[in-house]
Amino acid sequence: RAIDEALALFQEWKGRVKYDTVIYASLIKGFSYLGDADRAVALYRDMKAEKVPVNHIVFTSLITAYARAGNMKPADDILEEMEAEGCKPNAITYSVMIRGHCIRGDLAAALEVLQEMVGLGFPADCIIFNTLLDGCVRHANWDLADTLLQEMAQQGVERSNFTVSILVKMWSKRGDLDRAVRTVKEALAAPQALAEHGGKRQRGPIIDAQVGSCIVGACIHNRDPERALEVFRDMKSWPGFEGPDANTYGAMICGMAKHGYLHEAVEIAEEACVALRSAYDRKTIAPSVFMQLFRALRANGSLQEVGPGLSAKLREAGMAVDEHWLKL
């Protein structure tokens, strides 16, 4: 890995070249990204021993290394050390702490950090609310989720594409498919809202392929294949929508097969052969999806009639197909 090569070069030249904060920070940030807290902290201790000045990037990277795994006790210790060094936490630091507590499942602690952050004058933006909402969905804390949505509305915080995906999952888990669908329709009514892509925030269509996959999954999860088919048809005409993607096609094929809609499942699989061939991301559908479809065809007694032709189309489209599926 590049970070290992960089560390080897760092150690080779140490003593001959004077290293500064930027070099140490870059290495620590690299190990933080990998979740390797031990090596990140070892570099930090070496940095202190060499009396190299420490900055926000270093401390926040160290906290991130622990927070990624929800290991918040050492993260809290680093935060205290950061403050003792006279380096005040910024909005990014607090955001990382909030995410760590959410990963751990301690939503009360995450909320305390949010309140402390806001009390210090840092605004809570969409990304922080998304982190908290995602934690609520993962741990089924619906009361807190409702409170956060009210706070977002009161503070005028705009929803992003990630927010919409999280809310669709939430309403799906709560068994309210109508609210999940309504969430998507409301987002479609504001097509030039805040969108997040590749870590960047920009104005653009708020409904992306991830939202499409989530709403289809919500329909399947709530045992409503007819609603899934309706949404799947409609999304192809959504403004600025780059989908359906491989995940959406896969969810539809599995869902239709599971609920006995085999004709529709085969049609969607054949459509995916054409649609995904020209898709912008060129991702393919997981082989397990097709295995489930072929098993359903066999159980239905139509494998010999439909299987060979479908298998040929999938192979031609570059999909992974096992010849043994025709003999399941």
Side-chain angles (χ1 to χ4, degrees):
R1 291 180 298 189
I3 185 64
D4 291 319
E5 294 174 0
L7 180 61
L9 188 62
F10 170 86
Q11 292 170 337
E12 179 184 346
W13 284 90
K14 190 177 180 184
R16 287 182 280 173
V17 176
K18 185 177 180 180
Y19 289 139
D20 59 11
T21 303
V22 174
I23 294 175
Y24 272 102
S26 298
L27 286 168
I28 291 171
K29 190 173 182 180
F31 285 118
S32 170
Y33 179 79
L34 295 174
D36 192 338
D38 290 339
R39 288 206 278 182
V41 170
L43 280 165
Y44 167 64
R45 299 305 177 199
D46 184 67
M47 188 178 187
K48 295 281 289 180
E50 296 291 335
K51 301 187 185 316
V52 177
V54 184
N55 60 13
H56 281 92
I57 296 175
V58 171
F59 281 119
T60 301
S61 294
L62 291 170
I63 292 170
T64 300
Y66 287 116
R68 285 169 68 92
N71 193 0
M72 297 311 294
K73 176 59 173 67
D76 284 333
D77 292 341
I78 294 293
L79 183 64
E80 289 182 7
E81 199 166 335
M82 178 181 187
E83 293 173 329
E85 288 281 340
C87 191
K88 293 185 178 180
N90 58 18
I92 297 175
T93 311
Y94 284 113
S95 178
V96 170
M97 291 293 294
I98 290 170
R99 179 174 292 279
H101 285 303
C102 287
I103 290 172
R104 184 177 176 82
D106 192 346
L107 298 179
L111 200 58
E112 286 181 10
V113 175
L114 173 65
Q115 292 168 344
E116 179 183 349
M117 172 185 166
V118 173
L120 291 171
F122 295 108
D125 62 9
C126 179
I127 294 176
I128 289 178
F129 275 107
N130 284 348
T131 299
L132 286 162
L133 285 170
D134 185 61
C136 290
V137 173
R138 290 176 185 274
H139 301 284
N141 192 329
W142 309 135
D143 289 339
L144 178 55
D146 291 340
T147 299
L148 290 170
L149 287 174
Q150 291 175 1
E151 284 291 322
M152 285 185 74
Q154 290 173 2
Q155 296 182 29
V157 178
E158 292 182 86
R159 296 179 180 182
S160 71
N161 49 329
F162 286 169
T163 316
V164 177
S165 294
I166 293 167
L167 294 182
V168 168
K169 292 176 186 176
M170 181 187 76
W171 293 120
S172 174
K173 281 192 172 185
R174 295 172 79 167
D176 195 338
L177 184 56
D178 287 340
R179 289 290 295 272
V181 173
R182 192 189 315 161
T183 297
V184 175
K185 289 182 176 178
E186 289 172 352
L188 284 167
Q192 294 299 312
L194 185 65
E196 299 176 44
H197 299 285
K200 297 180 179 179
R201 307 171 72 195
Q202 58 191 28
R203 293 287 163 181
I206 195 173
I207 299 297
D208 60 4
Q210 183 179 0
V211 174
S213 179
C214 286
I215 189 60
V216 161
C219 295
I220 300 299
H221 176 74
N222 285 275
R223 299 184 177 88
D224 196 339
E226 291 289 345
R227 194 76 170 272
L229 285 168
E230 178 186 346
V231 170
F232 183 69
R233 286 192 295 265
D234 290 347
M235 70 173 60
K236 296 169 189 176
S237 61
W238 289 347
F241 180 66
E242 295 179 332
D245 65 356
N247 290 332
T248 306
Y249 275 108
M252 284 297 297
I253 294 167
C254 285
M256 294 302 106
K258 178 181 178 180
H259 291 284
Y261 286 63
L262 293 181
H263 177 73
E264 289 80 1
V266 171
E267 281 190 339
I268 293 170
E270 292 176 342
E271 177 186 316
C273 291
V274 178
L276 295 181
R277 185 180 297 175
S278 59
Y280 68 98
D281 59 0
R282 295 290 296 162
K283 290 181 181 178
T284 59
I285 298 171
S288 58
V289 170
F290 298 119
M291 183 173 68
Q292 182 175 336
L293 174 56
F294 277 84
R295 281 179 173 171
L297 290 170
R298 180 176 179 79
N300 179 260
S302 55
L303 179 61
Q304 294 305 314
E305 177 186 354
V306 179
L310 176 60
S311 176
K313 290 179 180 179
L314 293 173
R315 288 181 185 279
E316 184 181 352
M319 304 289 183
V321 179
D322 191 328
E323 61 181 14
H324 292 95
W325 295 345
L326 294 172
K327 304 173 185 178
L328 289 174

Coordinates of all heavy atoms in Angstrom, one line a residue, residues 178-207:
D178 N -46.0 4.5 2.7 CA -46.5 5.7 2.1 C -45.6 6.9 2.4 O -45.4 7.8 1.5 CB -47.9 6.0 2.6 CG -49.0 5.0 2.1 OD1 -48.7 4.5 1.0 OD2 -50.0 4.9 2.7
R179 N -45.1 7.0 3.6 CA -44.2 8.1 4.0 C -42.9 8.1 3.3 O -42.3 9.1 2.9 CB -44.0 8.1 5.5 CG -45.2 8.5 6.4 CD -45.5 10.0 6.2 NE -44.5 10.9 6.7 CZ -44.4 11.3 8.0 NH1 -45.3 10.9 8.9 NH2 -43.5 12.1 8.3
A180 N -42.4 6.8 3.0 CA -41.2 6.7 2.3 C -41.3 7.2 0.9 O -40.5 7.9 0.4 CB -40.8 5.2 2.3
V181 N -42.4 6.8 0.2 CA -42.7 7.3 -1.1 C -42.9 8.8 -1.2 O -42.4 9.5 -2.1 CB -43.9 6.5 -1.7 CG1 -44.3 7.1 -3.1 CG2 -43.6 5.0 -1.9
R182 N -43.6 9.3 -0.2 CA -43.9 10.7 -0.1 C -42.6 11.5 0.0 O -42.4 12.6 -0.5 CB -44.8 11.0 1.0 CG -45.4 12.5 1.0 CD -46.1 12.8 2.3 NE -47.0 11.8 2.7 CZ -47.4 11.6 3.9 NH1 -47.1 12.5 4.9 NH2 -48.2 10.7 4.3
T183 N -41.6 10.9 0.8 CA -40.3 11.6 1.0 C -39.6 11.8 -0.4 O -39.0 12.8 -0.6 CB -39.4 10.8 1.9 OG1 -40.0 10.7 3.2 CG2 -38.0 11.4 2.1
V184 N -39.7 10.8 -1.2 CA -39.1 10.8 -2.5 C -39.8 11.9 -3.4 O -39.2 12.7 -4.1 CB -39.0 9.5 -3.2 CG1 -38.5 9.6 -4.6 CG2 -38.2 8.5 -2.4
K185 N -41.1 11.9 -3.4 CA -41.9 12.8 -4.2 C -41.6 14.2 -3.8 O -41.5 15.1 -4.6 CB -43.4 12.5 -4.1 CG -43.8 11.2 -4.8 CD -45.3 10.9 -4.7 CE -45.7 9.7 -5.5 NZ -47.1 9.4 -5.4
E186 N -41.5 14.5 -2.5 CA -41.2 15.8 -2.0 C -39.8 16.3 -2.5 O -39.6 17.4 -2.8 CB -41.2 15.9 -0.5 CG -42.6 15.7 0.1 CD -42.6 15.6 1.6 OE1 -41.5 15.4 2.2 OE2 -43.7 15.6 2.2
A187 N -38.8 15.3 -2.5 CA -37.5 15.7 -3.0 C -37.5 16.0 -4.5 O -36.8 16.8 -5.0 CB -36.5 14.5 -2.7
L188 N -38.4 15.2 -5.2 CA -38.5 15.4 -6.7 C -39.1 16.8 -7.0 O -38.8 17.4 -8.0 CB -39.4 14.4 -7.3 CG -38.7 13.0 -7.5 CD1 -39.7 11.9 -7.8 CD2 -37.6 13.0 -8.5
A189 N -39.8 17.3 -6.0 CA -40.5 18.7 -6.2 C -39.4 19.8 -6.1 O -39.7 20.9 -6.5 CB -41.6 18.9 -5.2
A190 N -38.2 19.5 -5.6 CA -37.2 20.4 -5.4 C -35.9 19.9 -6.1 O -34.9 19.5 -5.4 CB -36.9 20.7 -4.0
P191 N -35.9 19.7 -7.4 CA -34.8 19.0 -8.1 C -33.4 19.7 -8.0 O -32.4 19.1 -8.2 CB -35.3 19.0 -9.6 CG -36.2 20.2 -9.7 CD -36.9 20.3 -8.3
Q192 N -33.4 21.0 -7.7 CA -32.1 21.7 -7.6 C -31.7 22.0 -6.2 O -31.4 23.1 -5.8 CB -32.1 23.0 -8.4 CG -32.2 22.8 -9.9 CD -31.1 22.0 -10.5 OE1 -29.9 22.3 -10.2 NE2 -31.4 21.0 -11.3
A193 N -31.8 20.9 -5.3 CA -31.5 21.1 -3.9 C -30.1 20.7 -3.7 O -29.3 20.6 -4.6 CB -32.5 20.2 -3.1
L194 N -29.7 20.5 -2.4 CA -28.3 20.2 -2.1 C -28.0 18.7 -2.3 O -28.7 17.8 -1.8 CB -28.1 20.5 -0.6 CG -26.7 20.4 0.0 CD1 -25.8 21.4 -0.7 CD2 -26.7 20.6 1.5
A195 N -27.0 18.5 -3.1 CA -26.7 17.1 -3.4 C -25.2 16.9 -3.0 O -24.4 17.7 -3.0 CB -26.8 16.8 -4.9
E196 N -24.9 15.6 -2.5 CA -23.6 15.3 -2.1 C -23.1 14.1 -3.0 O -23.7 13.1 -3.1 CB -23.6 14.8 -0.6 CG -24.1 15.9 0.3 CD -24.2 15.3 1.7 OE1 -23.2 14.6 2.2 OE2 -25.2 15.6 2.4
H197 N -22.0 14.3 -3.6 CA -21.4 13.3 -4.5 C -19.9 13.3 -4.3 O -19.2 14.3 -4.5 CB -21.7 13.6 -6.0 CG -23.2 13.6 -6.3 ND1 -23.9 12.5 -6.4 CD2 -24.0 14.7 -6.5 CE1 -25.2 12.8 -6.7 NE2 -25.2 14.1 -6.7
G198 N -19.4 12.1 -4.0 CA -17.9 11.9 -3.8 C -17.3 12.9 -2.8 O -16.2 13.3 -2.9
G199 N -18.1 13.1 -1.7 CA -17.6 14.0 -0.7 C -17.7 15.5 -0.9 O -17.4 16.3 -0.1
K200 N -18.3 15.8 -2.1 CA -18.5 17.2 -2.5 C -19.9 17.6 -2.4 O -20.8 16.7 -2.7 CB -17.9 17.5 -3.9 CG -16.4 17.3 -4.0 CD -16.0 17.6 -5.4 CE -14.5 17.4 -5.6 NZ -14.0 17.6 -7.0
R201 N -20.2 18.8 -2.0 CA -21.6 19.3 -1.9 C -21.8 20.3 -3.0 O -21.1 21.2 -3.2 CB -21.9 19.8 -0.6 CG -21.5 18.9 0.6 CD -21.5 19.6 1.9 NE -22.9 19.8 2.3 CZ -23.2 20.7 3.3 NH1 -22.3 21.4 3.9 NH2 -24.5 20.9 3.6
Q202 N -22.9 20.1 -3.8 CA -23.2 21.0 -4.9 C -24.7 21.1 -5.2 O -25.4 20.2 -4.7 CB -22.4 20.6 -6.1 CG -22.8 19.1 -6.6 CD -21.9 18.6 -7.6 OE1 -20.7 19.0 -7.7 NE2 -22.4 17.7 -8.4
R203 N -25.1 22.0 -5.9 CA -26.5 22.1 -6.4 C -26.7 21.2 -7.5 O -25.9 21.1 -8.5 CB -26.8 23.6 -6.8 CG -26.8 24.5 -5.6 CD -27.9 24.4 -4.7 NE -27.7 25.0 -3.4 CZ -28.5 25.0 -2.4 NH1 -29.7 24.4 -2.5 NH2 -28.3 25.6 -1.2
G204 N -27.8 20.4 -7.4 CA -28.1 19.5 -8.5 C -29.3 18.6 -8.1 O -29.9 18.8 -7.1
P205 N -29.6 17.6 -8.9 CA -30.7 16.8 -8.6 C -30.5 16.0 -7.3 O -29.4 15.4 -7.1 CB -30.7 15.8 -9.8 CG -30.0 16.5 -10.9 CD -29.0 17.4 -10.2
I206 N -31.5 16.1 -6.4 CA -31.3 15.5 -5.1 C -31.6 14.0 -5.1 O -31.2 13.3 -4.2 CB -32.3 16.2 -4.1 CG1 -31.9 15.9 -2.7 CG2 -33.7 15.8 -4.4 CD1 -32.6 16.7 -1.7
I207 N -32.3 13.5 -6.2 CA -32.6 12.1 -6.3 C -31.5 11.4 -7.1 O -31.4 11.7 -8.3 CB -34.0 11.9 -6.9 CG1 -35.1 12.5 -6.0 CG2 -34.3 10.4 -7.1 CD1 -35.2 11.9 -4.7

